[in-house]
Amino acid sequence: MNPDTREKLMGVSVATLATALYKRGLRSQVIQGVNPLGWKGRNMVGPAFTLRYMPAREDRNQLVEFRNPEHPQRVAIETCPEGHVLVMDSRKSATAASAGDILITRLMKRGGAGVVTDGGFRDAAIIAELDIPAYHTRPSSPTNLTTNEAIALNEPIGCGDAPVFPGDIIVGDADCVIVIPAEIADEVAAEAVEMTAYEDFVVDQVKAGASIIGLYPATDESNLQRFAEWRQAKGR
C-alpha cells in the first residue's frame, strides 16, 4: 500500500474513518464485536489477507489434520505477506479458537501488521503481550477443529458483518476495526487527516468552554477562521 497513506492512517481514529466512509454511502465497514487484546498504543494498518472458516464436519477435522503441511490455517500464517493484516472469518463464533499464541507469534515474526477474527483466540493473555496488534471477540480455548474447518485463503469474506476483500485496507484502533475499500483508501486517509485536525481544534475549544453549536459541525464561518489560526499556531 501507499506508504504515505499508511502513515496517515496510523494517526486517525476508526470513528473518524467511519464518518468519512458514511459520507460515501458505506455504512457496514466496521467489524462488529471485536476488541483489541492489550492495546499497543498504535493503530493497526495494512492490506487484508483473508482466511475463511466453515462449519466443521467431524470426519474431516480430527487432530491429525494439523500434521498436514497444506492445512489452510497453517498456510495462512506462513504466507500472509509482510505488512498485511490477517483477517479471519470465524462465523462470528468463539466456541472454538481461531488461532493461539504460537501461530500469532509466528505471524508476528514474519512481519504481519496485525490479526483480527470475529471469533476468539486461545492463549489470549499471552497474545495480548505480543508486539503485534490483535483483535477478537473473547478468549476461546477449544481448538478450531472443534467447530470450524479452515477452508479458503485470500478470497472475499465476511468478518463481524463487514465485507472484506483481499487488499482492502484494515485499520484498528483502541476501540475497534474498520475496512476501507482499497480503491478509495488514499482519498479517505487524506480526508480523515483533515477531519482529525478539525476535531482536535474542537476539543480544545470545548475544553475552553465553547458551545458546540456552530462549532461542531462548523456552521458558523467564524469558527473556520479560528481553526485556520489555531492550525497555523499548532503547525498542523
Side-chain angles (χ1 to χ4, degrees):
M1 67 178 291
N2 184 330
D4 183 56
T5 296
R6 184 190 295 273
E7 184 64 26
K8 289 174 180 175
L9 292 174
M10 291 295 293
V12 300
S13 71
V14 168
T16 297
L17 291 168
T19 299
L21 290 173
Y22 179 77
K23 288 167 63 176
R24 291 163 171 78
L26 297 170
R27 303 181 180 214
S28 302
Q29 299 305 113
V30 172
I31 297 178
Q32 297 296 315
V34 303
N35 306 286
L37 289 81
W39 169 238
K40 310 301 184 225
R42 67 181 189 275
N43 280 2
M44 173 181 72
V45 179
F49 183 85
T50 65
L51 169 64
R52 180 170 63 86
Y53 287 102
M54 65 175 285
R57 199 178 76 188
E58 289 79 2
D59 63 324
R60 291 175 53 90
N61 287 273
Q62 302 298 313
L63 278 176
V64 68
E65 292 303 319
F66 284 152
R67 294 180 177 273
N68 178 5
E70 297 182 0
H71 187 273
Q73 183 204 46
R74 269 51 177 173
V75 173
I77 296 297
E78 293 292 341
T79 60
C80 179
E82 183 177 356
H84 283 55
V85 175
L86 177 59
V87 184
M88 303 187 216
D89 171 3
S90 292
R91 306 187 298 118
K92 297 193 296 182
S93 173
T95 56
S98 302
D101 69 305
I102 294 175
L103 271 63
I104 303 306
T105 299
R106 175 59 178 162
L107 180 66
M108 177 185 71
K109 297 301 289 185
R110 293 193 60 256
V115 59
V116 55
T117 175
D118 59 4
F121 290 122
R122 66 198 313 189
D123 316 307
I126 299 174
I127 293 173
E129 295 296 322
L130 296 176
D131 190 29
I132 181 173
Y135 295 76
H136 75 166
T137 61
R138 64 171 173 82
S140 178
S141 293
T143 176
N144 71 87
L145 295 169
T146 308
T147 60
N148 285 336
E149 178 175 348
I151 195 68
L153 292 174
N154 221 30
E155 65 176 29
I157 62 170
C159 184
D161 293 325
V164 184
F165 291 83
D168 281 351
I169 305 304
I170 308 299
V171 181
D173 65 6
D175 291 337
C176 52
V177 179
I178 197 165
V179 184
I180 307 173
E183 61 271 19
I184 61 172
D186 294 347
E187 67 179 75
V188 167
E191 181 174 339
V193 168
E194 295 300 305
M195 292 170 64
T196 298
Y198 186 74
E199 289 165 358
D200 289 346
F201 163 72
V202 168
V203 169
D204 273 3
Q205 299 303 297
V206 171
K207 285 181 176 178
S211 168
I212 61 169
I213 305 303
L215 174 66
Y216 188 69
T219 55
D220 183 339
E221 291 294 323
S222 66
N223 284 314
L224 295 178
Q225 177 60 38
R226 281 193 287 273
F227 170 54
E229 294 168 356
W230 174 91
R231 196 170 192 182
Q232 184 175 21
K234 296 283 187 179
R236 298 282 298 273

